[in-house]
Amino acid sequence: MGTKPVSTPSTVRIPTLGQIKENINKPAEDKTAAVLNPTQTAEPAAAQQNFTLEQLTKVWTAYAENIKSKGQINHHMVLTSTTLDLQEDFGIHITVGNEVQMDQLEEIKVEFLSYLRQSLKNTAIRIHAKIGYVAPKEKKFFTDDDKLKILMEDYPLVIELRKKFGLEINY
């Protein structure tokens, strides 16, 4: 039979009443930043480089195409089906169509945010997503009637030509 090593519990020092009294009148320090990320120091000015909506859109689209090439079609659809709204504080507000898209965005958010921050050289970038109506970016045609309706809306001359020449859609 072997002997098991005995582990000694670590001791926690409780401050004395005198130490508490000394510290009670001192102003409180903001220790939350050090606790949340103790290795992070003050950001250099270069880490907050400005960028435009056009630059953001270019990087956003590049990432979406990259994940599409990796077979992540659902994530690609989430990123490409939304409209970007860039705020002055580098917050990016987007609207997704439903809860499923929100979950898919959350799955890639950490990696995607890291990519945006590195590509745009700005660590202040934040993504704020909400669920709402997302207007389709392009018109999709399903039938010949749909195509004709869109053409007639965009080009009223088509209506006149259709009447003048007696054109109909063949089925």
Short mmCIF file of all heavy atoms in Angstrom, two decimals, residues 86-152:
data_model
loop_
_atom_site.label_atom_id
_atom_site.label_comp_id
_atom_site.label_asym_id
_atom_site.label_seq_id
_atom_site.Cartn_x
_atom_site.Cartn_y
_atom_site.Cartn_z
N LEU A 86 -22.83 52.05 -39.61
CA LEU A 86 -21.63 52.38 -38.85
C LEU A 86 -21.86 53.62 -38.01
O LEU A 86 -22.26 54.66 -38.53
CB LEU A 86 -20.45 52.58 -39.81
CG LEU A 86 -19.11 52.95 -39.19
CD1 LEU A 86 -18.64 51.86 -38.25
CD2 LEU A 86 -18.08 53.18 -40.28
N GLN A 87 -21.60 53.52 -36.71
CA GLN A 87 -21.77 54.64 -35.79
C GLN A 87 -20.42 55.34 -35.58
O GLN A 87 -19.37 54.80 -35.90
CB GLN A 87 -22.28 54.11 -34.44
CG GLN A 87 -23.58 53.35 -34.54
CD GLN A 87 -24.72 54.22 -35.00
OE1 GLN A 87 -24.95 55.29 -34.45
NE2 GLN A 87 -25.46 53.78 -36.01
N GLU A 88 -20.47 56.54 -35.02
CA GLU A 88 -19.25 57.32 -34.78
C GLU A 88 -18.30 56.65 -33.79
O GLU A 88 -17.09 56.83 -33.86
CB GLU A 88 -19.60 58.72 -34.27
CG GLU A 88 -20.22 59.59 -35.34
CD GLU A 88 -20.53 60.98 -34.82
OE1 GLU A 88 -19.98 61.38 -33.78
OE2 GLU A 88 -21.32 61.67 -35.47
N ASP A 89 -18.85 55.87 -32.84
CA ASP A 89 -18.01 55.21 -31.83
C ASP A 89 -17.52 53.84 -32.31
O ASP A 89 -17.12 53.01 -31.52
CB ASP A 89 -18.78 55.07 -30.52
CG ASP A 89 -20.00 54.16 -30.65
OD1 ASP A 89 -20.39 53.81 -31.79
OD2 ASP A 89 -20.56 53.79 -29.61
N PHE A 90 -17.55 53.62 -33.63
CA PHE A 90 -17.12 52.38 -34.28
C PHE A 90 -18.04 51.21 -33.97
O PHE A 90 -17.66 50.06 -34.15
CB PHE A 90 -15.67 52.03 -33.94
CG PHE A 90 -14.70 53.14 -34.24
CD1 PHE A 90 -14.02 53.77 -33.22
CD2 PHE A 90 -14.50 53.57 -35.54
CE1 PHE A 90 -13.14 54.81 -33.49
CE2 PHE A 90 -13.62 54.59 -35.82
CZ PHE A 90 -12.94 55.21 -34.79
N GLY A 91 -19.24 51.48 -33.48
CA GLY A 91 -20.23 50.44 -33.30
C GLY A 91 -20.87 50.13 -34.64
O GLY A 91 -21.16 51.02 -35.43
N ILE A 92 -21.06 48.86 -34.91
CA ILE A 92 -21.70 48.43 -36.15
C ILE A 92 -23.06 47.86 -35.78
O ILE A 92 -23.15 46.85 -35.07
CB ILE A 92 -20.86 47.36 -36.87
CG1 ILE A 92 -19.46 47.89 -37.15
CG2 ILE A 92 -21.54 46.91 -38.15
CD1 ILE A 92 -18.47 46.81 -37.56
N HIS A 93 -24.12 48.52 -36.22
CA HIS A 93 -25.48 48.07 -35.93
C HIS A 93 -26.00 47.31 -37.13
O HIS A 93 -25.98 47.82 -38.26
CB HIS A 93 -26.39 49.26 -35.62
CG HIS A 93 -26.03 49.95 -34.34
ND1 HIS A 93 -26.72 49.74 -33.18
CD2 HIS A 93 -25.02 50.80 -34.02
CE1 HIS A 93 -26.18 50.46 -32.21
NE2 HIS A 93 -25.14 51.11 -32.70
N ILE A 94 -26.44 46.08 -36.86
CA ILE A 94 -27.01 45.26 -37.94
C ILE A 94 -28.34 44.69 -37.48
O ILE A 94 -28.60 44.57 -36.28
CB ILE A 94 -26.07 44.12 -38.36
CG1 ILE A 94 -25.80 43.17 -37.21
CG2 ILE A 94 -24.76 44.66 -38.90
CD1 ILE A 94 -25.05 41.92 -37.63
N THR A 95 -29.18 44.38 -38.44
CA THR A 95 -30.47 43.76 -38.16
C THR A 95 -30.51 42.42 -38.87
O THR A 95 -30.24 42.34 -40.07
CB THR A 95 -31.63 44.65 -38.67
OG1 THR A 95 -31.52 45.94 -38.05
CG2 THR A 95 -32.97 44.04 -38.33
N VAL A 96 -30.82 41.37 -38.12
CA VAL A 96 -30.97 40.04 -38.71
C VAL A 96 -32.45 39.71 -38.77
O VAL A 96 -33.27 40.30 -38.04
CB VAL A 96 -30.19 38.97 -37.91
CG1 VAL A 96 -28.70 39.21 -38.01
CG2 VAL A 96 -30.63 38.92 -36.47
N GLY A 97 -32.79 38.78 -39.63
CA GLY A 97 -34.20 38.49 -39.90
C GLY A 97 -34.92 37.68 -38.85
O GLY A 97 -36.14 37.79 -38.71
N ASN A 98 -34.20 36.85 -38.09
CA ASN A 98 -34.88 35.99 -37.12
C ASN A 98 -33.91 35.48 -36.06
O ASN A 98 -32.71 35.74 -36.11
CB ASN A 98 -35.57 34.81 -37.84
CG ASN A 98 -34.61 34.04 -38.71
OD1 ASN A 98 -33.53 33.66 -38.28
ND2 ASN A 98 -34.99 33.78 -39.95
N GLU A 99 -34.45 34.72 -35.13
CA GLU A 99 -33.67 34.20 -34.00
C GLU A 99 -32.58 33.22 -34.46
O GLU A 99 -31.49 33.19 -33.90
CB GLU A 99 -34.61 33.51 -32.99
CG GLU A 99 -33.94 33.13 -31.69
CD GLU A 99 -33.53 34.32 -30.84
OE1 GLU A 99 -34.27 35.31 -30.80
OE2 GLU A 99 -32.46 34.24 -30.22
N VAL A 100 -32.88 32.44 -35.48
CA VAL A 100 -31.90 31.48 -35.99
C VAL A 100 -30.67 32.22 -36.53
O VAL A 100 -29.52 31.85 -36.25
CB VAL A 100 -32.51 30.58 -37.08
CG1 VAL A 100 -31.46 29.70 -37.74
CG2 VAL A 100 -33.63 29.73 -36.50
N GLN A 101 -30.90 33.29 -37.30
CA GLN A 101 -29.78 34.08 -37.81
C GLN A 101 -29.01 34.74 -36.67
O GLN A 101 -27.78 34.84 -36.74
CB GLN A 101 -30.28 35.14 -38.79
CG GLN A 101 -30.72 34.57 -40.11
CD GLN A 101 -31.14 35.65 -41.08
OE1 GLN A 101 -31.49 36.77 -40.70
NE2 GLN A 101 -31.11 35.31 -42.36
N MET A 102 -29.70 35.15 -35.63
CA MET A 102 -29.03 35.74 -34.47
C MET A 102 -28.11 34.71 -33.82
O MET A 102 -26.96 35.01 -33.48
CB MET A 102 -30.06 36.25 -33.45
CG MET A 102 -29.45 36.91 -32.25
SD MET A 102 -28.63 38.47 -32.62
CE MET A 102 -30.02 39.58 -32.52
N ASP A 103 -28.59 33.47 -33.68
CA ASP A 103 -27.77 32.40 -33.10
C ASP A 103 -26.56 32.11 -33.98
O ASP A 103 -25.45 31.90 -33.48
CB ASP A 103 -28.59 31.13 -32.92
CG ASP A 103 -29.65 31.26 -31.84
OD1 ASP A 103 -29.54 32.19 -31.00
OD2 ASP A 103 -30.60 30.45 -31.83
N GLN A 104 -26.77 32.11 -35.30
CA GLN A 104 -25.65 31.85 -36.22
C GLN A 104 -24.62 32.97 -36.15
O GLN A 104 -23.42 32.72 -36.20
CB GLN A 104 -26.17 31.68 -37.64
CG GLN A 104 -26.95 30.40 -37.83
CD GLN A 104 -27.65 30.33 -39.17
OE1 GLN A 104 -27.83 31.33 -39.84
NE2 GLN A 104 -28.04 29.13 -39.54
N LEU A 105 -25.07 34.19 -36.01
CA LEU A 105 -24.16 35.32 -35.86
C LEU A 105 -23.37 35.18 -34.56
O LEU A 105 -22.15 35.42 -34.55
CB LEU A 105 -24.92 36.65 -35.88
CG LEU A 105 -24.07 37.91 -35.70
CD1 LEU A 105 -23.09 38.06 -36.86
CD2 LEU A 105 -24.96 39.14 -35.60
N GLU A 106 -24.02 34.79 -33.49
CA GLU A 106 -23.34 34.62 -32.20
C GLU A 106 -22.27 33.54 -32.28
O GLU A 106 -21.25 33.64 -31.61
CB GLU A 106 -24.35 34.31 -31.10
CG GLU A 106 -25.22 35.48 -30.70
CD GLU A 106 -24.44 36.66 -30.14
OE1 GLU A 106 -23.46 36.45 -29.40
OE2 GLU A 106 -24.82 37.80 -30.45
N GLU A 107 -22.50 32.51 -33.11
CA GLU A 107 -21.52 31.43 -33.25
C GLU A 107 -20.19 31.93 -33.82
O GLU A 107 -19.14 31.42 -33.45
CB GLU A 107 -22.07 30.33 -34.16
CG GLU A 107 -23.18 29.51 -33.56
CD GLU A 107 -23.80 28.55 -34.55
OE1 GLU A 107 -23.27 28.41 -35.69
OE2 GLU A 107 -24.82 27.93 -34.20
N ILE A 108 -20.24 32.90 -34.71
CA ILE A 108 -19.01 33.37 -35.37
C ILE A 108 -18.57 34.75 -34.90
O ILE A 108 -17.56 35.27 -35.36
CB ILE A 108 -19.19 33.39 -36.91
CG1 ILE A 108 -20.31 34.34 -37.31
CG2 ILE A 108 -19.38 32.00 -37.44
CD1 ILE A 108 -20.38 34.61 -38.80
N LYS A 109 -19.30 35.33 -33.98
CA LYS A 109 -19.08 36.72 -33.60
C LYS A 109 -17.68 37.00 -33.07
O LYS A 109 -17.06 37.99 -33.45
CB LYS A 109 -20.13 37.15 -32.58
CG LYS A 109 -20.14 38.63 -32.30
CD LYS A 109 -21.30 38.99 -31.38
CE LYS A 109 -21.40 40.47 -31.15
NZ LYS A 109 -22.53 40.80 -30.28
N VAL A 110 -17.16 36.15 -32.22
CA VAL A 110 -15.84 36.40 -31.61
C VAL A 110 -14.76 36.38 -32.69
O VAL A 110 -13.94 37.31 -32.77
CB VAL A 110 -15.54 35.36 -30.51
CG1 VAL A 110 -14.12 35.48 -30.02
CG2 VAL A 110 -16.53 35.50 -29.36
N GLU A 111 -14.76 35.35 -33.50
CA GLU A 111 -13.75 35.25 -34.57
C GLU A 111 -13.92 36.38 -35.59
O GLU A 111 -12.95 36.98 -36.03
CB GLU A 111 -13.87 33.90 -35.27
CG GLU A 111 -12.85 33.69 -36.36
CD GLU A 111 -13.04 32.35 -37.06
OE1 GLU A 111 -13.51 31.39 -36.44
OE2 GLU A 111 -12.71 32.30 -38.26
N PHE A 112 -15.16 36.68 -35.94
CA PHE A 112 -15.45 37.72 -36.92
C PHE A 112 -15.03 39.09 -36.40
O PHE A 112 -14.42 39.88 -37.13
CB PHE A 112 -16.93 37.69 -37.27
CG PHE A 112 -17.36 38.70 -38.29
CD1 PHE A 112 -16.65 38.89 -39.46
CD2 PHE A 112 -18.49 39.46 -38.09
CE1 PHE A 112 -17.05 39.82 -40.40
CE2 PHE A 112 -18.89 40.39 -39.02
CZ PHE A 112 -18.17 40.57 -40.18
N LEU A 113 -15.33 39.37 -35.15
CA LEU A 113 -14.97 40.65 -34.55
C LEU A 113 -13.45 40.81 -34.51
O LEU A 113 -12.92 41.88 -34.81
CB LEU A 113 -15.57 40.75 -33.15
CG LEU A 113 -15.71 42.10 -32.52
CD1 LEU A 113 -16.41 43.08 -33.43
CD2 LEU A 113 -16.48 42.00 -31.21
N SER A 114 -12.76 39.75 -34.20
CA SER A 114 -11.30 39.77 -34.20
C SER A 114 -10.77 40.08 -35.61
O SER A 114 -9.85 40.88 -35.78
CB SER A 114 -10.76 38.43 -33.72
OG SER A 114 -9.37 38.38 -33.82
N TYR A 115 -11.37 39.46 -36.62
CA TYR A 115 -10.99 39.69 -38.01
C TYR A 115 -11.20 41.16 -38.39
O TYR A 115 -10.34 41.79 -39.01
CB TYR A 115 -11.78 38.77 -38.93
CG TYR A 115 -11.53 39.00 -40.39
CD1 TYR A 115 -10.43 38.43 -41.03
CD2 TYR A 115 -12.40 39.78 -41.16
CE1 TYR A 115 -10.20 38.63 -42.38
CE2 TYR A 115 -12.17 40.00 -42.51
CZ TYR A 115 -11.07 39.41 -43.11
OH TYR A 115 -10.85 39.63 -44.45
N LEU A 116 -12.36 41.70 -38.04
CA LEU A 116 -12.66 43.10 -38.35
C LEU A 116 -11.66 44.04 -37.68
O LEU A 116 -11.16 44.98 -38.29
CB LEU A 116 -14.08 43.47 -37.90
CG LEU A 116 -15.24 42.90 -38.70
CD1 LEU A 116 -16.56 43.27 -38.04
CD2 LEU A 116 -15.22 43.37 -40.13
N ARG A 117 -11.38 43.78 -36.40
CA ARG A 117 -10.47 44.64 -35.65
C ARG A 117 -9.06 44.62 -36.24
O ARG A 117 -8.41 45.65 -36.32
CB ARG A 117 -10.44 44.22 -34.18
CG ARG A 117 -11.72 44.57 -33.46
CD ARG A 117 -11.74 44.01 -32.06
NE ARG A 117 -12.94 44.44 -31.35
CZ ARG A 117 -13.35 43.91 -30.22
NH1 ARG A 117 -12.65 42.95 -29.64
NH2 ARG A 117 -14.45 44.34 -29.66
N GLN A 118 -8.59 43.44 -36.64
CA GLN A 118 -7.26 43.33 -37.24
C GLN A 118 -7.23 43.96 -38.63
O GLN A 118 -6.30 44.70 -38.96
CB GLN A 118 -6.83 41.88 -37.33
CG GLN A 118 -6.45 41.28 -36.01
CD GLN A 118 -6.09 39.80 -36.13
OE1 GLN A 118 -6.39 39.16 -37.12
NE2 GLN A 118 -5.46 39.28 -35.10
N SER A 119 -8.23 43.68 -39.44
CA SER A 119 -8.24 44.17 -40.81
C SER A 119 -8.38 45.68 -40.89
O SER A 119 -7.75 46.33 -41.73
CB SER A 119 -9.38 43.52 -41.60
OG SER A 119 -9.21 42.13 -41.65
N LEU A 120 -9.21 46.25 -40.00
CA LEU A 120 -9.46 47.69 -40.02
C LEU A 120 -8.57 48.44 -39.02
O LEU A 120 -8.68 49.66 -38.90
CB LEU A 120 -10.93 47.96 -39.74
CG LEU A 120 -11.89 47.41 -40.79
CD1 LEU A 120 -13.32 47.49 -40.32
CD2 LEU A 120 -11.72 48.14 -42.11
N LYS A 121 -7.73 47.72 -38.31
CA LYS A 121 -6.78 48.30 -37.35
C LYS A 121 -7.48 49.20 -36.33
O LYS A 121 -7.10 50.34 -36.11
CB LYS A 121 -5.67 49.06 -38.08
CG LYS A 121 -4.81 48.15 -38.94
CD LYS A 121 -3.79 48.95 -39.71
CE LYS A 121 -2.90 48.09 -40.56
NZ LYS A 121 -3.54 47.38 -41.64
N ASN A 122 -8.53 48.65 -35.72
CA ASN A 122 -9.29 49.41 -34.75
C ASN A 122 -9.89 48.45 -33.72
O ASN A 122 -10.77 47.65 -34.05
CB ASN A 122 -10.40 50.20 -35.44
CG ASN A 122 -11.08 51.17 -34.51
OD1 ASN A 122 -11.39 50.83 -33.39
ND2 ASN A 122 -11.31 52.37 -35.00
N THR A 123 -9.43 48.53 -32.49
CA THR A 123 -9.91 47.63 -31.44
C THR A 123 -11.21 48.10 -30.78
O THR A 123 -11.74 47.40 -29.93
CB THR A 123 -8.83 47.46 -30.35
OG1 THR A 123 -8.51 48.74 -29.82
CG2 THR A 123 -7.59 46.79 -30.91
N ALA A 124 -11.71 49.24 -31.17
CA ALA A 124 -12.94 49.76 -30.57
C ALA A 124 -14.19 49.27 -31.30
O ALA A 124 -15.30 49.63 -30.92
CB ALA A 124 -12.91 51.28 -30.56
N ILE A 125 -14.03 48.48 -32.32
CA ILE A 125 -15.17 48.00 -33.10
C ILE A 125 -16.05 47.10 -32.24
O ILE A 125 -15.56 46.22 -31.55
CB ILE A 125 -14.70 47.25 -34.36
CG1 ILE A 125 -13.95 48.19 -35.28
CG2 ILE A 125 -15.88 46.61 -35.08
CD1 ILE A 125 -13.30 47.50 -36.47
N ARG A 126 -17.34 47.34 -32.29
CA ARG A 126 -18.34 46.53 -31.59
C ARG A 126 -19.46 46.20 -32.58
O ARG A 126 -19.77 47.00 -33.45
CB ARG A 126 -18.96 47.28 -30.40
CG ARG A 126 -17.98 47.77 -29.37
CD ARG A 126 -17.46 46.63 -28.50
NE ARG A 126 -16.56 47.10 -27.48
CZ ARG A 126 -15.24 47.11 -27.60
NH1 ARG A 126 -14.67 46.70 -28.69
NH2 ARG A 126 -14.48 47.53 -26.62
N ILE A 127 -20.06 45.03 -32.43
CA ILE A 127 -21.20 44.65 -33.26
C ILE A 127 -22.43 44.58 -32.37
O ILE A 127 -22.43 43.90 -31.35
CB ILE A 127 -20.97 43.29 -33.95
CG1 ILE A 127 -19.80 43.37 -34.92
CG2 ILE A 127 -22.24 42.84 -34.68
CD1 ILE A 127 -19.45 42.06 -35.59
N HIS A 128 -23.45 45.31 -32.77
CA HIS A 128 -24.73 45.32 -32.06
C HIS A 128 -25.78 44.78 -33.03
O HIS A 128 -26.05 45.39 -34.05
CB HIS A 128 -25.11 46.73 -31.62
CG HIS A 128 -24.02 47.44 -30.87
ND1 HIS A 128 -23.76 47.17 -29.54
CD2 HIS A 128 -23.12 48.36 -31.24
CE1 HIS A 128 -22.75 47.92 -29.14
NE2 HIS A 128 -22.34 48.65 -30.15
N ALA A 129 -26.34 43.64 -32.69
CA ALA A 129 -27.32 43.00 -33.58
C ALA A 129 -28.70 43.00 -32.93
O ALA A 129 -28.82 42.90 -31.71
CB ALA A 129 -26.89 41.58 -33.90
N LYS A 130 -29.71 43.11 -33.77
CA LYS A 130 -31.09 43.02 -33.29
C LYS A 130 -31.89 42.27 -34.34
O LYS A 130 -31.49 42.16 -35.51
CB LYS A 130 -31.69 44.40 -33.03
CG LYS A 130 -31.87 45.24 -34.27
CD LYS A 130 -32.51 46.58 -33.95
CE LYS A 130 -32.71 47.36 -35.25
NZ LYS A 130 -33.40 48.61 -35.04
N ILE A 131 -33.02 41.76 -33.92
CA ILE A 131 -33.91 41.04 -34.83
C ILE A 131 -34.95 42.01 -35.35
O ILE A 131 -35.55 42.76 -34.58
CB ILE A 131 -34.58 39.86 -34.12
CG1 ILE A 131 -33.51 38.86 -33.65
CG2 ILE A 131 -35.58 39.18 -35.03
CD1 ILE A 131 -34.03 37.74 -32.79
N GLY A 132 -35.16 42.01 -36.64
CA GLY A 132 -36.14 42.90 -37.25
C GLY A 132 -36.31 42.56 -38.72
O GLY A 132 -35.82 41.55 -39.21
N TYR A 133 -36.99 43.44 -39.41
CA TYR A 133 -37.22 43.24 -40.84
C TYR A 133 -35.96 43.57 -41.62
O TYR A 133 -35.36 44.62 -41.42
CB TYR A 133 -38.38 44.12 -41.33
CG TYR A 133 -38.57 44.04 -42.83
CD1 TYR A 133 -39.13 42.91 -43.41
CD2 TYR A 133 -38.17 45.07 -43.65
CE1 TYR A 133 -39.29 42.83 -44.78
CE2 TYR A 133 -38.32 45.00 -45.02
CZ TYR A 133 -38.89 43.88 -45.59
OH TYR A 133 -39.05 43.79 -46.93
N VAL A 134 -35.59 42.67 -42.49
CA VAL A 134 -34.44 42.88 -43.36
C VAL A 134 -34.96 42.88 -44.79
O VAL A 134 -35.48 41.87 -45.27
CB VAL A 134 -33.38 41.77 -43.18
CG1 VAL A 134 -32.22 41.98 -44.13
CG2 VAL A 134 -32.90 41.71 -41.75
N ALA A 135 -34.85 44.02 -45.45
CA ALA A 135 -35.31 44.12 -46.84
C ALA A 135 -34.40 43.32 -47.74
O ALA A 135 -33.18 43.33 -47.57
CB ALA A 135 -35.33 45.58 -47.28
N PRO A 136 -34.96 42.60 -48.70
CA PRO A 136 -34.12 41.86 -49.63
C PRO A 136 -33.24 42.81 -50.43
O PRO A 136 -33.68 43.88 -50.84
CB PRO A 136 -35.09 41.11 -50.53
CG PRO A 136 -36.44 41.64 -50.23
CD PRO A 136 -36.38 42.45 -48.98
N LYS A 137 -31.99 42.41 -50.66
CA LYS A 137 -31.05 43.27 -51.36
C LYS A 137 -31.24 43.23 -52.86
O LYS A 137 -30.91 44.17 -53.55
CB LYS A 137 -29.62 42.87 -51.02
CG LYS A 137 -29.23 43.23 -49.61
CD LYS A 137 -27.77 43.03 -49.39
CE LYS A 137 -27.39 43.56 -48.03
NZ LYS A 137 -25.98 43.50 -47.79
N GLU A 138 -31.72 42.13 -53.37
CA GLU A 138 -31.90 42.04 -54.81
C GLU A 138 -33.25 41.41 -55.10
O GLU A 138 -33.79 40.66 -54.31
CB GLU A 138 -30.78 41.22 -55.46
CG GLU A 138 -30.69 39.81 -54.91
CD GLU A 138 -29.49 39.07 -55.46
OE1 GLU A 138 -28.39 39.62 -55.40
OE2 GLU A 138 -29.67 37.95 -55.95
N LYS A 139 -33.78 41.74 -56.24
CA LYS A 139 -35.06 41.18 -56.64
C LYS A 139 -34.82 39.81 -57.22
O LYS A 139 -33.93 39.61 -58.05
CB LYS A 139 -35.72 42.09 -57.67
CG LYS A 139 -36.00 43.47 -57.15
CD LYS A 139 -36.53 44.38 -58.22
CE LYS A 139 -36.71 45.79 -57.68
NZ LYS A 139 -37.13 46.72 -58.71
N LYS A 140 -35.62 38.86 -56.78
CA LYS A 140 -35.51 37.50 -57.30
C LYS A 140 -36.74 37.20 -58.15
O LYS A 140 -37.86 37.49 -57.76
CB LYS A 140 -35.38 36.50 -56.17
CG LYS A 140 -34.11 36.69 -55.38
CD LYS A 140 -33.89 35.60 -54.39
CE LYS A 140 -32.58 35.87 -53.66
NZ LYS A 140 -32.18 34.81 -52.81
N PHE A 141 -36.49 36.62 -59.28
CA PHE A 141 -37.56 36.29 -60.20
C PHE A 141 -37.85 34.80 -60.12
O PHE A 141 -36.95 33.99 -60.20
CB PHE A 141 -37.16 36.66 -61.63
CG PHE A 141 -36.70 38.09 -61.79
CD1 PHE A 141 -35.39 38.38 -62.09
CD2 PHE A 141 -37.58 39.14 -61.61
CE1 PHE A 141 -34.96 39.69 -62.23
CE2 PHE A 141 -37.16 40.45 -61.74
CZ PHE A 141 -35.85 40.72 -62.06
N PHE A 142 -39.13 34.49 -59.98
CA PHE A 142 -39.51 33.09 -59.89
C PHE A 142 -40.26 32.64 -61.15
O PHE A 142 -40.13 31.51 -61.57
CB PHE A 142 -40.36 32.84 -58.65
CG PHE A 142 -39.61 33.14 -57.38
CD1 PHE A 142 -39.82 34.31 -56.67
CD2 PHE A 142 -38.66 32.26 -56.91
CE1 PHE A 142 -39.11 34.58 -55.51
CE2 PHE A 142 -37.93 32.52 -55.75
CZ PHE A 142 -38.16 33.69 -55.06
N THR A 143 -41.05 33.52 -61.72
CA THR A 143 -41.81 33.15 -62.92
C THR A 143 -41.63 34.23 -63.98
O THR A 143 -41.12 35.32 -63.71
CB THR A 143 -43.31 33.03 -62.58
OG1 THR A 143 -43.80 34.34 -62.22
CG2 THR A 143 -43.57 32.04 -61.45
N ASP A 144 -42.08 33.91 -65.17
CA ASP A 144 -42.03 34.89 -66.25
C ASP A 144 -42.92 36.09 -65.94
O ASP A 144 -42.61 37.22 -66.30
CB ASP A 144 -42.46 34.25 -67.58
CG ASP A 144 -41.44 33.24 -68.08
OD1 ASP A 144 -40.26 33.37 -67.71
OD2 ASP A 144 -41.81 32.34 -68.86
N ASP A 145 -44.05 35.85 -65.26
CA ASP A 145 -44.93 36.95 -64.87
C ASP A 145 -44.22 37.92 -63.92
O ASP A 145 -44.35 39.14 -64.05
CB ASP A 145 -46.21 36.43 -64.18
CG ASP A 145 -47.21 35.85 -65.16
OD1 ASP A 145 -47.22 36.30 -66.32
OD2 ASP A 145 -47.98 34.96 -64.75
N ASP A 146 -43.44 37.36 -62.99
CA ASP A 146 -42.68 38.19 -62.06
C ASP A 146 -41.69 39.07 -62.82
O ASP A 146 -41.53 40.25 -62.54
CB ASP A 146 -41.93 37.34 -61.03
CG ASP A 146 -42.85 36.62 -60.07
OD1 ASP A 146 -44.01 37.07 -59.91
OD2 ASP A 146 -42.42 35.63 -59.47
N LYS A 147 -41.01 38.47 -63.78
CA LYS A 147 -40.02 39.21 -64.57
C LYS A 147 -40.69 40.34 -65.33
O LYS A 147 -40.20 41.47 -65.36
CB LYS A 147 -39.32 38.28 -65.56
CG LYS A 147 -38.41 37.26 -64.92
CD LYS A 147 -37.81 36.36 -65.98
CE LYS A 147 -37.03 35.21 -65.36
NZ LYS A 147 -36.50 34.31 -66.38
N LEU A 148 -41.85 40.03 -65.93
CA LEU A 148 -42.55 41.05 -66.71
C LEU A 148 -43.04 42.19 -65.81
O LEU A 148 -42.92 43.36 -66.18
CB LEU A 148 -43.73 40.42 -67.45
CG LEU A 148 -44.53 41.37 -68.33
CD1 LEU A 148 -43.66 42.00 -69.41
CD2 LEU A 148 -45.72 40.66 -68.94
N LYS A 149 -43.56 41.87 -64.64
CA LYS A 149 -44.03 42.90 -63.71
C LYS A 149 -42.89 43.84 -63.31
O LYS A 149 -43.07 45.06 -63.27
CB LYS A 149 -44.65 42.27 -62.47
CG LYS A 149 -46.01 41.66 -62.71
CD LYS A 149 -46.53 41.01 -61.44
CE LYS A 149 -47.81 40.25 -61.72
NZ LYS A 149 -48.28 39.51 -60.56
N ILE A 150 -41.74 43.26 -63.02
CA ILE A 150 -40.59 44.08 -62.63
C ILE A 150 -40.15 44.96 -63.79
O ILE A 150 -39.87 46.16 -63.61
CB ILE A 150 -39.41 43.20 -62.15
CG1 ILE A 150 -39.79 42.39 -60.91
CG2 ILE A 150 -38.16 44.03 -61.90
CD1 ILE A 150 -40.14 43.22 -59.70
N LEU A 151 -40.09 44.39 -64.97
CA LEU A 151 -39.70 45.17 -66.15
C LEU A 151 -40.68 46.32 -66.39
O LEU A 151 -40.27 47.43 -66.72
CB LEU A 151 -39.63 44.28 -67.40
CG LEU A 151 -38.36 43.46 -67.56
CD1 LEU A 151 -38.51 42.49 -68.73
CD2 LEU A 151 -37.17 44.36 -67.79
N MET A 152 -41.98 46.05 -66.24
CA MET A 152 -42.98 47.09 -66.48
C MET A 152 -42.90 48.18 -65.40
O MET A 152 -43.15 49.35 -65.70
CB MET A 152 -44.39 46.48 -66.52
CG MET A 152 -44.61 45.64 -67.78
SD MET A 152 -46.30 45.06 -68.10
CE MET A 152 -46.80 44.34 -66.58
#
